[in-house]
Amino acid sequence: MPSLDAPERKNMNTEISRGKTARVFCIANQKGGVGKTTTAINLAAGLATHGKRVLLIDLDPQGNSTMGSGIDKSTLAHTLYGVLIGEATISEARVHSVTGGYDVLPANRELSGAEIDLVGMEERELQLKHAIVSIADQYDFILIDCPPTLSLLTLNGLAAAHGVIIPMQCEYFALEGLSDLVNTIKRVHRNINPELSLIGLLRVMFDPRVTLQQQVSAQLEAHFGEKVFKTVVPRNVRLAEAPSHGMPGVVYDKNSRGAQAYIAFGAEVIERVT
Ligand code: ADP
Ligand code: MG
């Protein structure tokens, strides 16, 4: 009876997660174009295919996670900006991604102004953390798509999270950039958020035919051991095409190698943290 499948699974999950609060993860890397947004969107969709309740927070003023989830960033009544400056709650600002099967706390260019507005506020790095409290029990996972900077916005993300997932390309300078980020995580852990930990490193846009990528990948495993996720996301054009159709790659072409990798990654994340 395939028609009974979905609702039954849903009930089970509600049962399991009732009374529990969401695991909150930042998808971060201070470099641009490394696959943060692609990972955030497709991990959200991947977790949703496994029956998990997910909120994706778009912490980047570019609003790529918002658009890539099929939400028009130019017609929003409220956005993350309003939440950070205390003009709206997450319940008021969130939008459901019909294509992705998860909720989105959307962003657009307005968000770049938040940096300036936050500076004068008390506990300026804790605004997102405070806002999340009221909805945390409604989700299994909250994912935060960070901008490519170590700004006050990113600091709000790191302060609100339990862990960080770092997507990275296996390139020559990748390891160097990584140590900066790991040091930042350690500093935030020490000074602002003792709950914060490194969940893992995800190799993305991987091309096994490139010798250098294999070498960097091996170095990563040697250096970070268990912290390197087993799933490797290949370079796959279907993942790059999906945003222009306003949907996650996982939904756009479920059978593509990229989609399958992110579905497997969702399962690995669930296994790692629950
Ligand atoms: P970031 O958020 O770190 O700036 P994006 O996720 O926007 O990075 O990715 C940068 C570009 O690379 C985008 O055009 C995206 O579609 C593309 N891309 C990301 N991951 C893959 C992949 N696995 N295969 C092919 N293209 C990818
Ligand atoms: Mg991005």
Side-chain angles (χ1 to χ4, degrees), residues 13-160:
N13 274 308
T14 315
E15 210 57 56
I16 291 163
S17 39
R18 184 171 293 150
K20 268 201 190 168
T21 171
R23 304 289 299 164
V24 184
F25 298 141
C26 280
I27 317 297
N29 189 322
Q30 75 278 29
K31 280 180 74 177
V34 293
K36 289 182 293 295
T37 297
T38 305
T39 297
I41 290 174
N42 285 289
L43 178 56
L47 289 168
T49 66
H50 294 298
K52 298 297 177 189
R53 302 165 304 165
V54 183
L55 173 67
L56 172 58
I57 298 180
D58 192 349
L59 195 56
D60 189 335
Q62 291 184 76
N64 292 346
S65 266
T66 301
M67 297 291 279
S69 301
I71 294 155
D72 184 352
K73 65 182 175 185
S74 62
T75 59
L76 298 160
H78 297 289
T79 64
L80 172 59
Y81 171 75
V83 171
L84 288 176
I85 64 163
E87 280 182 3
T89 62
I90 293 183
S91 304
E92 289 165 334
R94 67 184 163 194
V95 184
H96 187 66
S97 167
V98 180
T99 55
Y102 52 83
D103 287 348
V104 180
L105 180 51
N108 55 27
R109 282 177 57 193
E110 237 183 9
L111 184 60
S112 51
E115 288 278 339
I116 297 158
D117 295 319
L118 284 168
V119 166
M121 291 170 77
E122 264 178 59
E123 300 196 314
R124 58 192 178 183
E125 72 281 5
L126 298 179
Q127 296 309 305
L128 185 58
K129 184 184 174 78
H130 293 332
I132 282 175
V133 172
S134 65
I135 49 88
D137 64 345
Q138 297 168 25
Y139 298 98
D140 300 305
F141 291 94
I142 297 177
L143 304 178
I144 305 173
D145 181 21
C146 290
T149 50
L150 297 175
S151 59
L152 191 47
L153 282 175
T154 302
L155 208 53
N156 264 269
L158 293 174

Side-chain angles (χ1 to χ4, degrees), residues 212-261:
L212 178 64
Q213 292 205 14
Q214 285 180 2
Q215 287 169 346
V216 173
S217 174
Q219 259 177 316
L220 264 188
E221 285 172 344
H223 220 86
F224 288 93
E226 289 286 293
K227 289 289 180 192
V228 183
F229 287 108
K230 289 191 185 65
T231 309
V232 177
V233 179
R235 184 171 283 285
N236 179 243
V237 70
R238 305 301 268 170
L239 290 172
E241 288 168 1
S244 65
H245 298 272
M247 58 177 86
V250 160
V251 179
Y252 173 61
D253 184 357
K254 188 167 177 276
N255 296 316
S256 65
R257 290 191 312 129
Q260 288 297 314

Side-chain angles (χ1 to χ4, degrees), residues 183-237:
N183 283 333
T184 302
I185 294 169
K186 283 183 184 158
R187 279 215 309 279
V188 173
H189 172 87
R190 209 167 38 234
N191 299 318
I192 304 174
N193 178 7
E195 281 188 283
L196 190 69
S197 67
L198 173 62
I199 303 298
L201 304 164
L202 175 67
R203 290 161 287 182
V204 299
M205 294 189 232
F206 193 76
D207 185 346
R209 293 166 301 182
V210 180
T211 311
L212 178 64
Q213 292 205 14
Q214 285 180 2
Q215 287 169 346
V216 173
S217 174
Q219 259 177 316
L220 264 188
E221 285 172 344
H223 220 86
F224 288 93
E226 289 286 293
K227 289 289 180 192
V228 183
F229 287 108
K230 289 191 185 65
T231 309
V232 177
V233 179
R235 184 171 283 285
N236 179 243
V237 70

